[in-house]
Amino acid sequence: MMKPYIKILVCCILLALAFRAKARAQDNLIKNPIVAGYYADPTIIKDKGIYYIYATIDPWGAAELGVLATRDFKTFTRKHVNWPTKRACMSPTSNNSMVWAPSVRRSKGKFYMYVAVGSEVWAGVADRPLGPWKNAKPDNTPLVGARDFPTVHNIDPDCFIDDDGRAYLYWGSGFNWVNGHCMAVKLKTDMVTFDGVPQDLPPDFR
């Protein structure tokens, strides 16, 4: 039987080897950050050989989105889009939250963006990834206002387009500031009209 002190010595040696292997592996990784600054909630699309990364500018958002363009994921160029901005996306029920968590998708030759501003979900449309963007709703109102679902965190939207072309919108990180739920609804072909009533998807949804 191996003596206790020998077991401890073996464990220490194995841990040292593991840490050394991990350090070597990290040395071979691309160093982060890839660009200066702090970003969160990224979404990415590809158009004509260029990848566009849209993201929240952290901490806690900014008055506009962060947008990075790259062809090779080694060199990144900071871009700006005209919409959404904190000033452009305001309603009587908006709060002070900034521009958060964009989701960009292409549908029928156009680009659609779903984004949280002021704790409300807004929808934008453009012909090109860098715009010019505009509110996808003719009346310039949020797609999901704070009073539409007052107990839901109306943030972090994400659009999913299935293989059959049907689009679905998801948003929210919980109810009454308790995480674990989100809302979901099918979108009509205009990408802004709900096809049915949004449903609560709890954690045990199948």
Side-chain angles (χ1 to χ4, degrees):
M1 179 179 293
M2 187 180 295
K3 294 183 179 181
Y5 72 88
I6 296 179
K7 287 184 179 180
I8 295 173
L9 179 61
V10 170
C11 288
C12 290
I13 292 173
L14 290 175
L15 283 172
L17 291 174
F19 281 123
R20 185 176 180 184
K22 183 178 180 180
R24 286 181 176 176
Q26 289 177 338
D27 287 340
N28 293 326
L29 296 177
I30 297 174
K31 301 298 184 183
N32 283 321
I34 56 175
V35 293
Y38 297 90
Y39 299 92
D41 314 315
T43 186
I44 185 169
I45 59 170
K46 182 182 180 182
D47 183 57
K48 298 177 181 177
I50 301 176
Y51 296 89
Y52 297 90
I53 304 171
Y54 307 79
T56 305
I57 300 175
D58 263 356
W60 293 106
E64 64 174 336
L65 286 177
V67 183
L68 305 172
T70 182
R71 290 182 180 272
D72 56 9
F73 286 91
K74 296 179 181 179
T75 302
F76 296 82
T77 304
R78 174 76 185 272
K79 302 291 185 179
H80 292 272
V81 290
N82 66 301
W83 187 102
T85 65
K86 181 62 175 175
R87 177 177 292 182
C89 299
M90 289 287 290
S91 81
T93 56
S94 298
N95 67 19
N96 292 328
S97 299
M98 304 302 279
V99 183
W100 293 349
S103 173
V104 180
R105 300 290 181 264
R106 190 202 319 254
S107 178
K108 299 178 178 63
K110 290 186 178 294
F111 296 90
Y112 291 89
M113 182 188 299
Y114 305 88
V115 62
V117 187
S119 292
E120 298 179 310
V121 177
W122 297 74
V125 62
D127 293 322
R128 295 177 296 278
L130 295 179
W133 288 85
K134 65 178 182 180
N135 194 318
K137 294 185 65 180
D139 62 1
N140 205 39
T141 59
L143 184 61
V144 180
R147 293 176 182 169
D148 296 337
F149 303 95
T151 63
V152 179
H153 311 169
N154 294 307
I155 61 173
D156 299 344
D158 193 22
C159 180
F160 169 71
I161 301 178
D162 210 341
D163 293 339
D164 60 7
R166 296 176 182 176
Y168 302 84
L169 181 66
Y170 304 83
W171 77 91
S173 62
F175 293 168
N176 294 316
W177 301 108
V178 177
N179 291 333
H181 292 252
C182 73
M183 301 297 289
V185 67
K186 181 181 176 183
L187 297 174
K188 293 187 177 181
T189 56
D190 64 1
M191 300 296 285
V192 293
T193 303
F194 292 169
D195 188 357
V197 178
Q199 302 294 315
D200 165 26
L201 295 188
D204 59 352
F205 175 75
R206 299 290 187 270

